[in-house]
Amino acid sequence: MSVDSADREMMVSALPVGGMVTVFGGSGFLGRHIVHALARRGYRVRVAVRRPNEAHYLRPMGVVGQVEPVQANIRDEASVKAAVAGAAAVINLVGLLHESGKQTFDAVMHEGAGRVARACSEAGVKKLVHVSAIGADEDSPSDYGRAKAAGEKAVRQAFPAATIVRPSIVFGPEDDFFNRFAAMARLSPALPLIGGGTMKLQPVYVKDLAEGVVRLVENHGFERKTFEFGGPEKKTFRELMEDLLRNIGRKRILLPLPVFAAKIMAFFTQFLPNPPLTPDQVRLLGIDNVVSEAAEKEGRTLQGLGVTPTALEIVLPTYLYRFRRSGQFERINAS
């Protein structure tokens, strides 16, 4: 059954205006856009983060007292329960790209996800949206992919009515994908294409993703479903690097890097404070990251929610200009 047919008839507000929504990880890249979208709609937003002092910048997104950062560690039972108390809906965005100390994939994306879901169930929360990732698979060669799948399973067990969202890579002004490779292109004569750069991705604009998540929160009919969010284009990693170089006006060698060589490099870079590449990421880069045919057919996509995905070519020039030699004053030939 398509979301565009029967489910759309059920898209009536699930939460009263002014209801409380708790957003775990709300100070991050995606979180700030979700908090903004919720505040504009009139909801009260509790931003649950490990360091509330780093989330104060979110307060002006609403009227006085509408957006409130609170301390919560997804690994701590008591703080999670306190963060969901009184909330009508909860959104969990917490995830990791690499492990560090006690912040492991299993502790955060598996056990932490289950902890949030159990707290929501015990507190009588009406709606739970859990943001996972395309590539979540219990048979994934990647620790990240397996932990994401385990987190989804834990959420389903504790809160069966939860809605799960699996996005492809997310792009926007503060992203860690295009910005990272653009910064690399500013210094390096070549950009590496792990495995030849043949992996397919479907980048989704952060504001589109945020809008989709908020629609799942505020409307009935999408419980117990898993949505997959991607942009309008499926491109190989090589094609994305070509788009990036065209937007920053730089010519660089796109150098195919065999997987074994990438693994050797990642073995050493994983020990850096903010590693550009880890062995687990190399394994993940061998898997396509696109919306499945089943999700497209069943309408479990942005389009199924009435959100038209924004093309890369519209957004990339608006924030990658800072990597051009003369910044926004340099004219780039789009051909």
Side-chain angles (χ1 to χ4, degrees), residues 181-192 245 250-253:
F181 284 102
M184 188 184 300
R186 194 160 52 180
L187 301 173
S188 173
L191 293 178
L245 292 173
R250 295 177 186 269
K251 293 183 179 181
R252 295 292 184 265
I253 299 170

Side-chain angles (χ1 to χ4, degrees), residues 131-208:
V131 177
S132 181
I134 289 178
D137 186 344
E138 60 184 7
D139 296 321
S140 173
S142 160
D143 294 338
Y144 174 92
R146 291 194 301 274
K148 281 289 189 181
E152 291 184 5
K153 184 176 181 179
V155 168
R156 286 277 187 236
Q157 289 175 339
F159 200 106
T163 304
I164 292 174
V165 175
R166 295 175 174 175
S168 184
I169 63 166
V170 186
F171 71 93
E174 308 91 3
D175 71 48
D176 195 41
F177 183 78
F178 287 105
N179 280 299
R180 174 170 297 203
F181 284 102
M184 188 184 300
R186 194 160 52 180
L187 301 173
S188 173
L191 293 178
L193 301 178
I194 297 175
T198 59
M199 178 186 70
K200 292 183 179 179
L201 302 105
Q202 196 170 348
V204 57
Y205 182 37
V206 64
K207 289 188 176 181
D208 295 338

